[in-house]
Amino acid sequence: MRTADVVGGGIAGCAAALALAKTGWAVTLYEKRDGPASEGAGIQISPNARRCIEELGLDLTPLCFLPNAIQIFGARGAKPLSNYSLGTDFKAQFGADYAVMARRSLQSALWRACEQSSSITISAGQRWPGKGNAALTVGADGVGSKVRSAMPGVAGAQSTGYIACRALLPFDRQVATAVPSEDVCLWLGRGAHAVTYPVLGPENDPLPNRSLNVVMSKKGQVSESGWSAPAHPQLISKLVSLLNPKLSALRSDISFSQWSIDAVEPSAKWVHGNTVLVGDAAHAMPPFAAQGAAMALEDAVVLAAELAKADHIEDGLCAYEHARRSRVRRLAALSHANARLYHMSGPIASARNLALKTTPQRVIDARMGWIYNWSPPRLPSD
């Protein structure tokens, strides 16, 4: 049995470990925390991501909330500029529901699946000791990857110039009255934007336990580094002032965290010898296309599938890099383009809003088909 070290116990690392284990690898999963990561708030599970999760053998339906639509609001006005239905026609078009869930629920489910696999040993609370005797090393340790930094000639992450603040808010009366409680909402502001949507608790509890995931972004610099640095109330007030007045309900004593949005150039090297990068370690991108986690899940399944077909590890790694490169570059370009689109102001924002009002859903479906219709390769069982 071939051996692999997977560095990073987040979504990318757990998915890679599960995919490799399913195809006959003995995996050691290194995670510096004592357990699954709890950072983050919500995550959007588009059909392409959902199919990857299912290929890994997980059914997360009880943890998912199925929104009715994606609504887009301008900086002013109570009515949405666009209402993109996620109902029966969407599922028929793309073969799966569009779901949202708490990020920690996805992380915990993947971690538990790794714990239950006889082919995976979790080395929790320990940092990666460096390259050892394993036949394969997978760097799945995020945007600040130590594995990537150990690869010669590979540049590190760079700041995009954007920051983000996030929180999970209880669905109290004030919030539920102001913000649609059944939909994903994109709020376009003057040099800022926000995304809101509901997520369920870990046991699929009823409405009183539903929370509102809120992420607000603008250009700037954070006052503290890390994924969980507290955001100053003045920053939150500033962000809210740039957005739709309906979001004034978010002015509360809820604590927001802040982080700097960094990116990794997706054209850089992902493979060196028997070392390979997946997820944010390879191609971290701004979260403005809601596809970062989906790309990590896709990476994991494609990596395992290409290695299963190859006679030599190096050949499988090169095939993985070739299979993933163009798609990831296209998603990264879309993410950066969305940042510019979302933050428009003045006459150009008015033109954008008119286009959003008049574009039919079938046109949007056609634009998104290359993302949502993607299906992972089938993983052969050992």
Side-chain angles (χ1 to χ4, degrees):
M1 182 178 287
R2 293 185 293 183
T3 58
D5 287 345
V6 176
V7 183
I11 291 172
C14 287
L18 289 170
L20 289 169
K22 188 174 181 180
T23 53
W25 291 77
V27 179
T28 300
L29 179 64
Y30 289 94
E31 172 49 54
K32 62 184 179 181
R33 304 174 181 85
D34 293 329
S38 59
E39 293 94 342
I43 190 168
Q44 300 183 53
I45 307 295
S46 53
N48 50 310
R50 193 180 186 95
R51 284 188 281 269
C52 291
I53 293 169
E54 292 171 352
E55 186 61 32
L56 294 174
L58 279 69
D59 179 11
L60 302 184
T61 302
L63 302 175
C64 291
F65 181 86
L66 303 183
N68 294 330
I70 298 176
Q71 296 194 51
I72 304 178
F73 291 84
R76 299 178 179 86
K79 293 183 178 181
L81 302 169
S82 175
N83 191 315
Y84 179 71
S85 174
L86 298 174
T88 303
D89 290 345
F90 178 92
K91 185 174 182 179
Q93 176 81 10
F94 299 115
D97 290 309
Y98 196 101
V100 292
M101 65 188 304
R103 179 177 284 268
R104 68 185 63 182
S105 295
L106 174 59
Q107 172 66 77
S108 296
L110 290 167
W111 182 275
R112 287 195 301 270
C114 288
E115 288 180 322
Q116 294 166 3
S117 172
S118 60
S119 298
I120 300 174
T121 300
I122 298 179
S123 182
Q126 297 186 38
R127 295 182 180 274
W128 177 53
K131 201 165 181 64
N133 297 320
L136 172 68
T137 300
V138 180
D141 49 341
V143 65
S145 173
K146 300 298 183 184
V147 177
R148 187 182 65 242
S149 66
M151 294 171 63
V154 179
Q158 300 294 322
S159 173
T160 64
Y162 292 94
I163 63 172
C165 299
R166 64 167 176 260
L168 284 175
L169 277 64
F171 259 117
D172 58 24
R173 184 180 299 276
Q174 182 182 15
V175 169
T177 300
V179 179
S181 59
E182 302 292 328
D183 302 317
V184 176
C185 294
L186 173 60
W187 307 84
L188 307 179
R190 302 178 300 280
H193 82 281
V195 177
T196 62
Y197 54 81
V199 296
L200 301 177
E203 301 301 327
N204 196 18
D205 287 334
L207 182 62
N209 197 44
R210 192 186 302 179
S211 298
L212 182 72
N213 173 67
V214 181
V215 180
M216 300 186 288
S217 300
K218 74 176 192 68
K219 283 195 170 183
Q221 295 182 332
V222 298
S223 55
E224 296 182 47
S225 61
W227 272 79
S228 298
H232 196 281
Q234 288 183 346
L235 173 59
I236 303 305
S237 295
K238 175 63 175 178
L239 278 162
V240 170
S241 72
L242 297 172
L243 297 165
N244 191 290
K246 290 171 71 70
L247 291 183
S248 61
L250 304 184
R251 295 176 185 265
S252 66
D253 58 354
I254 299 296
S255 296
F256 280 76
S257 59
Q258 64 176 348
W259 79 100
S260 174
I261 299 176
D262 295 337
V264 175
E265 170 53 52
S267 298
K269 184 165 58 175
W270 299 356
V271 174
H272 177 72
N274 66 341
T275 299
V276 62
L277 304 174
V278 298
D280 282 354
H283 47 68
M285 62 185 71
F288 305 147
Q291 285 292 311
M295 292 302 100
L297 292 165
E298 290 183 13
D299 284 354
V301 179
V302 172
L303 173 63
E306 293 295 346
L307 286 169
K309 293 188 298 183
D311 293 329
H312 303 285
I313 290 175
E314 290 79 4
D315 294 338
L317 297 184
C318 289
Y320 152 77
E321 189 175 33
H322 177 74
R324 296 295 298 151
R325 177 82 72 184
S326 62
R327 179 169 170 83
V328 168
R329 288 178 65 180
R330 191 175 177 186
L331 254 303
L334 177 63
S335 297
H336 286 281
N338 281 348
R340 296 187 292 271
L341 180 71
Y342 294 168
H343 294 188
M344 289 174 174
S345 59
I348 194 170
S350 298
R352 175 204 63 196
N353 293 350
L354 179 60
L356 288 170
K357 289 179 180 179
T358 57
T359 302
Q361 177 147 342
R362 58 180 173 76
V363 174
I364 302 174
D365 286 344
R367 291 175 181 170
M368 302 304 291
W370 70 275
I371 301 176
Y372 296 161
N373 279 324
W374 187 91
S375 292
R378 299 299 301 272
L379 292 179
S381 298
D382 181 44

